[in-house]
Each structure stands twice: as C-alpha cells, then as structure tokens.
Amino acid sequence: MKLHHSLAVLIIAWFSVTGHIQAVTLEVKEGNTTCIKAELSVSFTITYNTSSSTRTVQVSLPDSSTVEAGSSSCGTASSSPWLVAVFGPGHALGLGFSSNGSLYSVATLMLQYNLSDTSIFPDADSPDVVTVVSSSVGISATINTTYRCDSPTAVSVGGATVTFSGMKLEAYMPGNDLSPTESVCIADQTSTTAPPTTASTTTTTALPPTPPGTPERGTYSVNNINGTVCLLARMGLQLNVSYFSLSQNKTIQELVNLSPNETSVSGSCEPSSASLVLTQEQITMLNLTFTLNSTSNKYRLSAITLLANWSDMTAPFLASNTSLDYLRSTLGRSYMCNAEQTLAVVPTFSLNTFRVQVQPFEVTTNQFATAEECQIDQTQMLIPIIVGAALAGLVLIVLIAYLIGRKRSHAGYQTI
Ligand SMILES: *[C@@H]1O[C@H](CO)[C@@H](O)[C@H](O)[C@H]1NC(C)=O
Ligand SMILES: *[C@@H]1O[C@H](CO)[C@@H](O)[C@H](O)[C@H]1NC(C)=O
Ligand SMILES: *[C@@H]1O[C@H](CO)[C@@H](O)[C@H](O)[C@H]1NC(C)=O
Ligand SMILES: *[C@@H]1O[C@H](CO)[C@@H](O)[C@H](O)[C@H]1NC(C)=O
Ligand SMILES: *[C@@H]1O[C@H](CO)[C@@H](O)[C@H](O)[C@H]1NC(C)=O
Ligand SMILES: *[C@@H]1O[C@H](CO)[C@@H](O)[C@H](O)[C@H]1NC(C)=O
Ligand SMILES: *[C@@H]1O[C@H](CO)[C@@H](O)[C@H](O)[C@H]1NC(C)=O
Ligand SMILES: *[C@@H]1O[C@H](CO)[C@@H](O)[C@H](O)[C@H]1NC(C)=O
Ligand SMILES: *[C@@H]1O[C@H](CO)[C@@H](O)[C@H](O)[C@H]1NC(C)=O
Ligand SMILES: *[C@@H]1O[C@H](CO)[C@@H](O)[C@H](O)[C@H]1NC(C)=O
Ligand SMILES: *[C@@H]1O[C@H](CO)[C@@H](O)[C@H](O)[C@H]1NC(C)=O
Ligand SMILES: *[C@@H]1O[C@H](CO)[C@@H](O)[C@H](O)[C@H]1NC(C)=O
C-alpha cells in the first residue's frame, strides 16, 4: 500500500539575512518519479490556552522537517495526493491536492500540533495533539506549471494561521523537477509590477508616499481563558519606522497607520502583566505589554515590540524595548489621553498614539473604569481657562481704568 512508496525528502535550508526564515524543500516520490515538490517558508501563528490566559506563539517550519512516508502519497484513482511534513514531537503540516485535468489546487490544508511540546507551548493547560483542517486555501495553478508566490499567503485554520511565503509548488508533476512554466499568484502580479533591475531608473520619477493622516481609532480587547474581557483599548496607532528601502536604494522614514478593520487581535493576561498583540496580515505585528507594580498599584506600558516584513524591506524589521515607562495609571482606573503622543521605542522606530483609552487590568463588565487623564490633556484643558481668565482680567482692568478716568474728568469739570 502507501508504505511501499519510496519517498524522499530533500531539504535545502538556507537562512535569510536575519537568520530566522527557513526555506524548506519537500518532495513526494513514487518509485523514481517525483509527483509533488514544494520549496517554501512556512510560519504558524497558534493560540493556545494556559491555566490562566490565552497565549499566541509564532513558529516556523524548521529545516529538520521530513516528509512522512505513511501519510504522504502520489494519489490513486480513489485517493488524493498528499504531502505531509512532520517536525518536532508530533507536529505536522499536510497539503492535500485535487485536479480537474486542467487546473490543480490545494484542496485541504491540515495542521497538527502537540501541546505537550513545552519548548513551543509553555504552560499549556492541555497535553492534547490538536488537528485542524481547512478546505479554503486559495492555492491553484494550471496543470504542468509551477505555482509560484513570493508574497506571504495566510490561511486560517482553526485558531491558527499558516503563512506561506517564497513558495514554489507543483503537484501532478509531468517530470521529476518543477516545471519551468510558472503560474504566478495574484498577490505577486500586483505587488511586483517593477522588476528590481529597473528600480534605479524609476526612483527619479517615484512619488514620495503620501502622508497617511490621522489613524482611525480602533477598539481592541483581549479575553481571559473563561471568555471575560481582561484588557480593553481604544486608540489610533501610527508606526514611524526608518528602514532601508529596496525601491529607493536608501534609508527612508515611513509613517504607517494601523487600520482597525484589517487588524487581528490576540494577547494574554497574567496577574501582573498583560499583552495586546495586533497583527496585520502576518506582515506587521505590534506587541504592547503592560506591567503592574503590585506594591504601588500602578501599571504602565513597559514593553513594545514591532515585527514588520514589508515588501520594500531588505530584511524583516524587528524592534523591541522592554524597559519603557509609558501610559502610567492606577490599578482599577483606565488611562486616557486625547492628545497625540510619541512613544519612542528604539532610534529607528517610534509609535504615535491618538485618542488613547486603555485598561490592561481589572476590567469588569466589559467597560472602562473611571479614567485618569494624561498630563498633556490636563495642560491643554488649562489653556482655554487661562486665556479666558486673562481676557476677563483685561476687561476688568479696562473697565476700572475707564471708571477712574470718568470720575477724574468729572471732578476736573467741577473745579473749573
Ligand atoms: C530507478 O532508477 C534506478 C537507477 O537510475 C534504476 O536502477 C531502477 O530500476 C529505477 N526504478 C524504477 C522503479 O524505475
Ligand atoms: C480555550 O478555552 C476556551 C474556554 O474553555 C475554549 O472555548 C477555547 O476553545 C480554548 N482554546 C483553545 C485554543 O483550546
Ligand atoms: C475569569 O477568570 C478570571 C481569572 O482567570 C477571574 O478573576 C474571573 O473571576 C473569572 N470570571 C468568571 C465570570 O468566571
Ligand atoms: C509580547 O511581549 C511579551 C513581553 O515582551 C511577551 O511575554 C509575549 O510573549 C509577547 N507576545 C507575542 C505574541 O509575541
Ligand atoms: C507530544 O509531545 C510529547 C512530549 O514531547 C511526547 O512525549 C509525545 O509522544 C508527543 N505526541 C505525539 C503524538 O507525538
Ligand atoms: C477546471 O476548473 C476550472 C475552474 O473551476 C474551469 O475553468 C475548467 O474549465 C475546469 N476544467 C475541466 C476540464 O473541467
Ligand atoms: C518576509 O517576506 C518575504 C517575502 O514577502 C518572505 O520571503 C519571508 O519569508 C518573510 N519573512 C518573515 C519572517 O515572515
Ligand atoms: C501535462 O504534461 C504531460 C506530460 O508532458 C502530458 O502528457 C499532458 O497532456 C499535459 N497536460 C496538459 C493539460 O497539458
Ligand atoms: C545604491 O546606491 C549606492 C550608493 O548610493 C550605489 O553605489 C548603488 O549602485 C545603488 N544601487 C542601485 C541598485 O541603484
Ligand atoms: C518620525 O521619526 C523621525 C525620527 O525619529 C522624526 O524625525 C519624525 O518627526 C517622526 N515623524 C512623526 C510624524 O512622528
Ligand atoms: C478598511 O477601511 C478602510 C477605510 O475605512 C477601507 O479603505 C478599506 O478598504 C477597509 N478594508 C477592509 C479589508 O475592509
Ligand atoms: C513598585 O513601586 C514601588 C513604590 O513606588 C517601588 O519602590 C518599586 O521599585 C516598584 N517596583 C518595580 C518592580 O518597579
């Protein structure tokens, strides 16, 4: 049966500039014939429960992954071809294919992860091996061509997200290697309109990016293990990142607004720390961590991490500072600041906040507690009061001067 297939895995792994991204090559063979081949990088974002909260971890398909002989196959008249890669203690990624003779596609995506693996899932509240399956993957190509997609493609499967990037894939292969003809995915067709070689000639005409304006205000919440809201935030966020631009061949300063409708929320709540993690299509991840000082009953925004993998970057951008002291307030209160604030994180990244209200601890009945307003707002509220008082004072002085003047001139007439 399937066991007599001679299967081989050839793993070519190389590390990107940052050393984090691993491209893996996987092959399913039957006899001397290769029927499925994939070259790709895969990252998994998985949310799991601990005894007190939920956590989100990000792991990538390691270069030590192997094709599992027992469950991979080239398919028969009655069964679909499958590529199943296994890694670590009981984790697996599977792709099941289908074809109608002119097109082939990934009909099923299967992800299996073992919560007993404490190196990836510390403090998981269950030892289960979780298997999740999705049948809307959106990867398809003309038969006898290689499916190619450099842009990240994210697929939701259960509570997890699987993101493929730098992908080359073919099933129902006519030869033993990837076909030279490619079916390029739509994301690549739109994002790489100008080949890099022409970049130097287009820079002179390239318009500077339009300033994004004030970001929209989003409402974000993180749930406890029992489903109750434990962190609430309403705010507009703008990233100010400086990085080396491929298209402009120089370091540029870019302002990027987070659009709430395109942002997914995760995070965790612990007794003395709470994190809000905002993710946009797996290419921007912002992690805001609040800590509580239980001696003083004060909390603060103590750590900010940004991971950005924008198309114009030479390498993914990672910036983190874990000794910050922003958005300070008292336990049992929310923090509020209507004025724009700039939170410096590292020299190449700062975060601009607009109309913030946040409460990372002791949220009850899904509502903000009484707000403690930031100093800038209080000062700004004082300005109209001071101006008003000054004007009133001025009017009073003029009035007194007038009255005195009138009295004097009146007296003058009388003496004549
Ligand atoms: C596979 O290739 C080897 C050497 O090229 C050959 O000896 C063998 O017969 C082939 N096996 C099949 C099933 O074609
Ligand atoms: C976490 O626990 C909640 C409540 O028990 C449950 O609804 C949810 O499915 C769990 N999530 C995961 C990823 O196991
Ligand atoms: C939910 O869990 C938190 C701590 O994990 C606890 O403080 C709270 O009382 C729980 N709420 C409900 C409704 O069970
Ligand atoms: C967010 O940052 C905190 C503190 O640095 C860390 O404990 C947590 O694991 C991070 N969350 C994610 C999803 O990276
Ligand atoms: C899950 O992980 C644990 C600990 O690493 C291991 O003992 C167990 O065999 C794994 N389960 C499977 C199905 O591989
Ligand atoms: C295969 O499916 C595609 C898209 O659904 C369709 O355009 C094509 O005509 C189909 N080909 C055959 C041979 O059924
Ligand atoms: C960043 O994006 C590139 C291409 O868009 C992809 O090849 C790479 O794997 C991504 N890196 C990470 C860490 O997501
Ligand atoms: C694909 O290639 C094989 C082998 O070259 C050929 O027999 C088959 O007709 C091709 N299929 C299509 C749809 O072009
Ligand atoms: C980028 O700029 C450097 C120096 O400014 C120059 O030497 C190099 O040729 C440029 N590269 C491209 C692709 O324009
Ligand atoms: C972005 O950061 C740069 C460098 O820190 C700074 O000069 C610039 O004023 C910032 N822009 C905004 C809109 O915050
Ligand atoms: C999000 O909202 C903006 C403006 O409000 C809109 O332009 C954009 O298309 C929306 N995106 C999605 C995915 O709904
Ligand atoms: C907590 O607050 C107290 C009193 O303000 C201070 O002495 C202590 O250093 C703080 N602890 C931490 C971990 O910041």
Side-chain angles (χ1 to χ4, degrees):
M1 297 190 290
K2 281 175 186 170
L3 284 173
H4 72 242
H5 294 130
S6 134
L7 295 143
V9 57
L10 169 71
I11 296 154
I12 307 164
W14 66 92
F15 293 87
S16 75
V17 196
T18 54
H20 293 303
I21 312 141
Q22 296 170 335
V24 181
T25 298
L26 303 163
E27 269 187 78
V28 180
K29 286 192 173 196
E30 200 170 75
N32 288 350
T33 320
T34 302
C35 59
I36 306 173
K37 184 169 177 178
E39 295 175 8
L40 73 184
S41 306
V42 190
S43 81
F44 309 98
T45 307
I46 299 170
T47 301
Y48 67 101
N49 287 336
T50 64
S51 57
S52 59
S53 66
T54 64
R55 267 191 217 176
T56 303
V57 290
Q58 195 151 20
V59 277
S60 54
L61 188 69
D63 59 353
S64 56
S65 310
T66 57
V67 170
E68 188 180 50
S71 45
S72 299
S73 86
C74 289
T76 63
S78 59
S79 70
S80 314
W82 270 93
L83 165 65
V84 179
V86 291
F87 59 101
H91 311 303
L93 172 71
L95 301 175
F97 295 87
S98 72
S99 169
N100 69 0
S102 59
L103 284 180
Y104 68 93
S105 57
V106 177
T108 314
L109 184 147
M110 184 273 300
L111 172 66
Q112 178 181 301
Y113 52 94
N114 182 353
L115 290 171
S116 303
D117 182 356
T118 51
S119 65
I120 296 179
F121 306 105
D123 307 325
D125 68 348
S126 122
D128 294 348
V129 175
V130 179
T131 304
V132 284
V133 166
S134 168
S135 56
S136 54
V137 184
I139 295 175
S140 69
T142 311
I143 205 119
N144 291 355
T145 70
T146 299
Y147 174 83
R148 176 173 173 166
C149 201
D150 289 329
S151 308
T153 309
V155 181
S156 292
V157 47
T161 305
V162 177
T163 306
F164 299 100
S165 54
M167 184 182 209
K168 277 188 179 180
L169 170 80
E170 188 171 5
Y172 306 96
M173 290 164 69
N176 277 337
D177 208 347
L178 292 173
S179 297
T181 318
E182 292 180 339
S183 296
V184 177
C185 67
I186 290 161
D188 280 11
Q189 289 168 19
T190 51
S191 66
T192 50
T193 42
T197 45
T198 62
S200 55
T201 57
T202 55
T203 42
T204 48
T205 55
L207 294 166
T210 47
T214 306
E216 218 181 299
R217 198 178 186 203
T219 301
Y220 309 107
S221 64
V222 177
N223 286 1
N224 233 329
I225 184 158
N226 51 17
T228 54
V229 172
C230 57
L231 183 156
L232 261 182
R234 284 187 77 193
M235 55 196 168
L237 294 173
Q238 183 177 65
L239 312 172
N240 183 352
V241 182
S242 97
Y243 65 92
F244 190 86
S245 158
L246 276 176
S247 63
Q248 299 182 41
N249 192 23
K250 62 171 186 201
T251 301
I252 59 163
Q253 193 83 47
E254 191 162 24
L255 292 175
V256 174
N257 288 346
L258 287 195
S259 313
N261 59 351
E262 291 162 9
T263 302
S264 59
V265 189
S266 60
S268 60
C269 296
E270 307 284 343
S272 64
S273 86
S275 293
L276 173 67
V277 180
L278 302 175
T279 312
Q280 287 201 326
E281 290 172 0
Q282 312 303 310
I283 58 170
T284 306
M285 185 176 91
L286 180 69
N287 180 348
L288 307 179
T289 300
F290 296 84
T291 47
L292 174 69
N293 180 334
S294 47
T295 323
S296 61
N297 274 347
K298 299 268 181 196
Y299 64 81
R300 65 194 160 98
L301 174 58
S302 61
I304 300 180
T305 301
L306 173 71
L307 176 63
N309 190 14
W310 302 337
S311 56
D312 200 24
M313 287 176 162
T314 46
F317 177 96
L318 177 66
S320 182
N321 188 334
T322 55
S323 55
L324 301 174
D325 188 7
Y326 294 127
L327 317 190
R328 258 169 300 158
S329 186
T330 311
L331 187 65
R333 299 284 196 93
S334 63
Y335 171 89
M336 183 145 104
C337 202
N338 283 312
E340 179 187 345
Q341 292 188 90
T342 297
L343 314 183
V345 181
V346 294
T348 52
F349 166 53
S350 57
L351 181 66
N352 297 329
T353 64
F354 300 76
R355 296 174 65 206
V356 179
Q357 185 166 15
V358 62
Q359 190 178 345
F361 298 102
E362 289 197 346
V363 176
T364 50
T365 63
N366 300 356
Q367 281 174 348
F368 284 114
T370 315
E372 249 173 40
E373 193 120 357
C374 62
Q375 200 62 51
I376 322 167
D377 280 9
Q378 291 176 10
T379 315
Q380 284 185 352
M381 257 188 290
L382 272 182
I383 293 169
I385 296 171
I386 293 168
V387 170
L391 280 179
L394 207 65
V395 167
L396 207 66
I397 291 167
V398 169
L399 200 70
I400 291 167
Y402 169 76
L403 287 175
I404 291 172
R406 225 174 89 111
K407 211 171 184 182
R408 277 218 184 126
S409 56
H410 202 66
Y413 280 121
Q414 273 189 336
T415 52
I416 288 175

